[in-house]
Amino acid sequence: LSKEELSINTPVVITCNEQRREVSAAQNIANKQIDRTFVFDKVFGPKSKQQDVFNHAVVPLVGEVLDGYNCTIFAYGQTGTGKTYTMEGGGGKTQDGELPSDAGVIPRAVKRIFDILEAQSAEYSMKVSFLELYNEELTDLLAPDESKFSDDKSKKPMALMEDGKGGVFVRGLEEEVVSSASEIYKILERGSGKRKTAETLLNKQSSRSHSIFSITIHIKECTPEGEEMIKCGKLNLVDLAGSENISRSGARDGRAREAGEINKSLLTLGRVINTLVEHSGHIPYRR
Ligand SMILES: Nc1ncnc2c1ncn2[C@@H]1O[C@H](COP(=O)(O)OP(=O)(O)O)[C@@H](O)[C@H]1O
Ligand SMILES: [Mg+2]
């Protein structure tokens, strides 16, 4: 609970059992105590540190990315549940190249990638992009500000295209070539700063938008036969919109539904993941 919540004696309704991988929610409805328990693949209790989450959930994926695979990590949950804290961190400053203990998944993944590549004296190139999806419109969080006074240029919507190889890309998206971890921390700060500015301009935008930080790595390798080969891996780190914005039925009375209140892409993502988990035929990627 936050300090504020503690000061007004907010009751604790969530309990975690890390061993049994369970989370229980206590509910009191009409004086009836109804507890519900959910089982997960892994539960991080309230004492968990950023480092624990990173080591367990992210380190294996960083290895796969360096082996040339594409991996995506999503933070999902209601607004205020700690998605941005988990992905970006608590705002602590990097000192002498050491990350603060509250650093999130993104800076930790970046540091680990560079540490591994440096240790291998690998020949590589790396680029990053940072974009936001709000109301089905894409915004480049790394685009240079063309004008300080007009917000619409740097936030012009971009088109999502297929690359013909089974992948997608965003036309005109700024991809910055980076050669050190500290460069990426600066870029991350710039991008998330932009997200926050937009938030004050456009009430609560960040709770309704997804942000996607992508790291693309090309590594040069030599096969045993002495042939040169380029391995390409990509890591997508996604801070999803608040899950309070999805409505399964989509049916609501009245026409005055606020823009973005029903987040189509989040709803579709849920459906896609469900069909993938259930192995049930058609996967609605294109909805
Ligand atoms: N594990 C944590 N430890 C300490 N503070 C946290 C933690 N997770 C979230 N917070 C704090 O709670 C508040 C809401 O978290 P935030 O990451 O902004 O939520 P979300 O992005 O899901 O809306 C922030 O002030 C954040 O610093
Ligand atoms: Mg957030």
Side-chain angles (χ1 to χ4, degrees), residues 103-144:
V105 162
I106 299 178
R108 284 175 196 274
V110 164
K111 181 168 192 312
R112 187 167 174 91
I113 290 169
F114 276 108
D115 285 351
I116 293 176
L117 291 173
E118 297 295 316
Q120 294 173 342
S121 326
E123 225 178 293
Y124 65 90
S125 71
M126 193 183 304
K127 53 193 182 183
V128 298
S129 65
F130 200 7
L131 60 87
E132 183 173 60
L133 180 63
Y134 175 69
N135 248 347
E136 315 304 319
E137 269 185 15
L138 293 162
T139 304
D140 191 342
L141 292 172
L142 299 184

Side-chain angles (χ1 to χ4, degrees), residues 1 11-17 22-27 36 38 43-44 46:
L1 294 180
V12 175
V13 294
I14 300 290
T15 48
C16 296
N17 185 325
E22 285 175 358
V23 175
S24 300
Q27 257 185 324
R36 296 206 290 166
F38 304 89
V43 170
F44 293 98

Side-chain angles (χ1 to χ4, degrees), residues 141-162:
L141 292 172
L142 299 184
D145 286 313
E146 287 174 23
S147 156
K148 278 200 177 110
F149 304 103
S150 89
D151 198 45
D152 51 11
K153 267 204 176 139
S154 63
K155 286 184 64 61
K156 63 177 176 241
M158 295 173 304
L160 194 62
M161 323 274 284
E162 283 183 74

Side-chain angles (χ1 to χ4, degrees), residues 7-38:
S7 73
I8 53 167
N9 291 324
T10 310
V12 175
V13 294
I14 300 290
T15 48
C16 296
N17 185 325
E18 296 193 15
Q19 249 98 52
R20 299 171 59 129
R21 296 182 276 121
E22 285 175 358
V23 175
S24 300
Q27 257 185 324
N28 193 311
I29 299 169
N31 274 330
K32 250 193 166 160
Q33 192 63 30
I34 304 165
D35 293 354
R36 296 206 290 166
T37 297
F38 304 89

Side-chain angles (χ1 to χ4, degrees), residues 78-80 82-85 195 199 206-207 209 239-240 242:
Q78 290 190 16
T79 298
K83 296 180 297 299
T84 303
Y85 184 92
R195 206 181 175 204
E199 180 177 330
S206 91
S207 69
S209 69
D239 185 354
L240 289 170

